[in-house]
Amino acid sequence: HLVPYIEAEKQVGERGSGNGRRSAGRIVMATVKGDVHDIGKNFVGVVLGCNDYEVIDLGVMVPWPRILETAREQEADLIGLSGLITPSLEEMRTVATEMEREGFTIPLLIGGATTSRAHTAVKIEPCYSGPVVHVQDASRAVGVASALVDAAQRDAFMVRTRAEYAVVRSDHEGRDRTIRRLTIDEARANRTRLDWSSTPPRPVALGVTTIPDQPLADLVDRIDWGPFFTTWELAGRYPQILDDPRVGSAARSLFEDAQGMLRRVVDERLLRADGVVGFWPAASTLDDDIELYEDESRTRVVARIHTLRQQMAKPDGRPNVALSDYVAPPGSAADDFIGAFAVTTGIGLDEARATFVAAHDDYSAILITALADRLAEAFAETLHERVRRELWGYAPDEALDNEALIAERYQGIRPAPGYPACPDHTEKRTIFDLLGAEERVGMSLTESMAMLPASSVSGLYFWHPQARYFGLGRIGRDQLEDYARRKGWTLDKARRWLAPNIADDA
């Protein structure tokens, strides 16, 4: 609605020439190499565009040379980087390093779900002598951009920001030095001790099962609407948010639009949902791996899942947990199993989005993308419920409503590579190969292990009643070296993939 009015006030032709009014600023934006997520970036682009900024959006999976080349060619005032998965944090650091090497001085804006003010201050700002600013969300983008492009504001703004980031770095270094970590051997000696005297439940069928064309209508009632509203920067619990005195009106309007779009998605089959699930005999190892076997003879290992163990010293005798603790060790009385899955609701999304964008309907393009992500999580939740009640059957009498499922009151867990309990995204490759996800359902992985289509979920299934989600925290050099050995990696490669979880002194 606003763009035609904005453009009408601008001079046609060369930027800044003649009597026409130039834009508020020109920004090159991109989701960095290896990452396919762009909802946040698109929000920022729309907000900046509506505030008279000229946005050059390079899309997703953009390598740093193209970002810098475009910024030079277009005489950009700003560069904005976005990313969702943790490997993107290192790619952003690479962009900052290359900007410094090539003599850039323009501001660099950092944003995305996994980014933070602390990470920007500690890892990215030291790589670039120009202005580096973390932008928490789209609502703050205009204020930050305006301060950086205005010569009268920039110096004072950056003096404050750099001083704040220096404090953040100092606090970070101080906190990391005060945390006591066990050696990896000590942490393993303090592993979770589970009772494996009883026989674990056996999945109904071992091997891989494809779930083609999952009916989308069956997923709608399993949607967790809380993260949907968070995506749109509306804070509050669902359904209470609909009556919130501050954001309730906007939330209700958005929710009505989402319901209308969901009806279109289902009725017009704008999206397709496919999935794959599998189960294997398994056993944990003393060095925190999980071996998966070809069959129940347990003689041939077909894959190895690598897990990481907490190393922070725990009070009150609490264990240092690794996911491998939730699988029976070899030699125990229990013959255990493990499951894996990969689901997507993103098939057809690119085409649907393109149709909306061609009609200059950015709102609907973002709306269907946000809903596709919610449907993917709903698919994962629905499949996990089937696993517990039918496919593995270790909780056949489970009867939980959607609120209880969202609160994870069920037995067992389904952790995903890249999340706090297992931050190594490369474990997705093992899962995809085991499931044949590329051949069976057309899902693939980028070089940074982002899943394609973007609206996808994958992970592992652990059945044990005492299995819990947890955060790994930071690991020491001894575990880093041990993990590199187990993965067959160089130490540098291990550092690159596990960077957010490595202690400063490692």
Side-chain angles (χ1 to χ4, degrees):
H1 179 78
L2 292 175
V3 168
Y5 294 95
I6 294 171
E7 292 299 322
E9 295 182 7
K10 294 179 183 176
Q11 180 242 350
V12 177
E14 290 294 321
R15 178 188 181 209
S17 62
N19 297 319
R21 181 177 61 80
R22 62 177 289 171
S23 68
R26 181 176 291 173
I27 181 170
V28 171
M29 297 180 61
T31 298
V32 295
K33 183 181 73 171
D35 202 326
V36 297
H37 301 90
D38 63 355
I39 292 182
K41 173 178 65 64
N42 293 344
F43 270 127
V44 171
V46 169
V47 171
L48 288 174
C50 289
N51 283 272
D52 203 13
Y53 284 83
E54 184 179 351
V55 179
I56 301 169
D57 189 342
L58 299 181
V60 300
M61 295 197 294
V62 186
W64 68 261
R66 186 180 173 211
I67 296 171
L68 271 54
E69 179 182 351
T70 304
R72 285 195 190 279
E73 289 178 352
Q74 299 296 325
E75 299 180 5
D77 300 300
L78 306 153
I79 291 176
L81 303 180
S82 180
L84 178 67
I85 59 175
T86 50
S88 297
L89 300 176
E90 284 300 291
E91 185 61 26
M92 291 177 182
R93 190 179 183 188
T94 297
V95 176
T97 300
E98 294 301 324
M99 288 177 70
E100 180 71 13
R101 188 177 65 83
E102 295 194 13
F104 276 78
T105 59
I106 63 175
L108 175 63
L109 307 184
I110 302 295
T114 57
T115 65
S116 67
R117 183 166 169 262
H119 182 271
T120 301
V122 173
K123 297 291 187 180
I124 300 179
E125 192 199 33
C127 298
Y128 180 52
S129 56
V132 179
V133 182
H134 178 252
V135 182
Q136 184 173 343
D137 53 48
S139 66
R140 292 169 171 81
V142 175
V144 171
S146 298
L148 290 171
V149 299
D150 185 347
Q153 297 184 63
R154 182 195 290 193
D155 288 348
F157 177 79
M158 285 313 303
V159 166
R160 292 196 305 273
T161 301
R162 283 175 169 144
E164 291 169 2
Y165 286 6
V167 172
V168 170
R169 283 193 295 273
S170 177
D171 290 347
H172 171 85
E173 292 167 3
R175 280 197 302 271
D176 201 61
R177 283 195 296 267
T178 61
I179 296 174
R180 188 172 76 85
R181 291 185 182 84
L182 306 180
T183 67
I184 185 57
D185 290 337
E186 291 170 335
R188 284 172 177 160
N190 193 41
R191 69 178 68 235
T192 310
R193 305 291 178 180
L194 300 181
D195 180 6
W196 296 107
S197 59
S198 59
T199 302
R202 183 189 186 280
V204 172
L206 298 180
V208 179
T209 301
T210 303
I211 305 169
D213 203 9
Q214 161 73 35
L216 292 172
D218 295 346
L219 305 180
V220 172
D221 289 341
R222 282 289 179 254
I223 289 178
D224 179 2
W225 287 102
F228 173 80
F229 288 108
T230 301
T231 297
W232 295 82
E233 297 179 13
L234 295 173
R237 289 174 57 86
Y238 173 82
Q240 292 87 345
I241 190 173
L242 301 178
D243 297 313
D244 185 273
R246 188 172 64 87
V247 301
S249 176
R252 286 193 301 273
S253 176
L254 175 62
F255 190 62
E256 290 174 4
D257 292 344
Q259 296 303 308
M261 181 63 76
L262 272 176
R263 285 191 292 272
R264 287 194 60 185
V265 166
V266 173
D267 295 344
E268 301 174 27
R269 296 179 62 84
L270 298 180
L271 302 176
R272 176 185 167 106
D274 287 335
V276 61
V277 61
F279 305 95
W280 294 265
S284 61
T285 69
L286 295 178
D287 57 358
D288 304 335
D289 286 346
I290 303 170
E291 293 182 341
L292 279 63
Y293 303 108
E294 182 178 43
D295 54 39
E296 289 180 273
S297 70
R298 300 174 181 262
T299 55
R300 179 173 177 266
V301 176
V302 294
R304 187 179 294 266
I305 302 294
H306 304 86
T307 78
L308 289 153
R309 185 171 297 280
Q310 295 173 327
Q311 282 188 264
M312 70 286 282
K314 300 283 196 76
D316 306 322
R318 287 185 293 161
N320 292 79
V321 188
L323 285 174
S324 59
D325 292 348
Y326 301 138
V327 179
S332 68
D335 287 336
D336 210 353
F337 302 87
I338 196 171
F341 72 97
V343 299
T344 182
T345 55
I347 301 168
L349 178 60
D350 288 345
E351 293 79 3
R353 282 184 11 160
T355 299
F356 289 126
V357 170
H360 306 290
D361 188 357
D362 291 327
Y363 175 63
S364 292
I366 295 174
L367 184 61
I368 194 172
T369 304
L371 288 172
D373 287 350
R374 290 296 91 214
L375 285 167
E377 291 290 348
F379 192 178
E381 196 70 84
T382 300
L383 180 57
H384 194 194
E385 185 177 14
R386 281 190 62 198
V387 166
R388 296 190 301 271
R389 297 181 61 182
E390 306 167 19
L391 301 179
W392 202 336
Y394 56 80
D397 300 323
E398 175 186 286
L400 301 176
D401 59 19
N402 204 44
E403 183 177 351
L405 292 175
I406 292 169
E408 299 168 355
R409 294 180 189 142
Y410 44 74
Q411 177 181 329
I413 57 175
R414 56 172 180 89
Y419 281 76
C422 46
D424 179 7
H425 282 267
T426 69
E427 291 297 300
K428 290 178 198 164
R429 181 74 270 165
T430 302
I431 292 173
F432 270 51
D433 289 346
L434 277 166
L435 295 170
E438 293 180 340
E439 301 80 8
R440 291 172 179 266
V441 294
M443 296 174 64
S444 60
L445 296 168
T446 71
E447 60 193 299
S448 294
M449 298 294 147
M451 290 178 285
L452 288 170
S455 299
S456 300
V457 183
S458 64
L460 299 166
Y461 292 130
F462 296 84
W463 72 272
H464 201 281
Q466 290 178 249
R468 297 289 184 271
Y469 295 105
F470 61 91
L472 173 68
R474 288 174 173 260
I475 63 172
R477 184 183 177 92
D478 56 350
Q479 182 166 194
L480 182 68
E481 292 174 343
D482 179 85
Y483 194 74
R485 174 189 59 78
R486 288 153 50 202
K487 293 276 288 190
W489 285 352
T490 64
L491 191 59
D492 284 345
K493 186 173 182 178
R495 286 187 182 281
R496 186 165 69 252
W497 282 105
L498 300 177
N501 292 89
I502 300 174
D504 290 345
D505 59 359

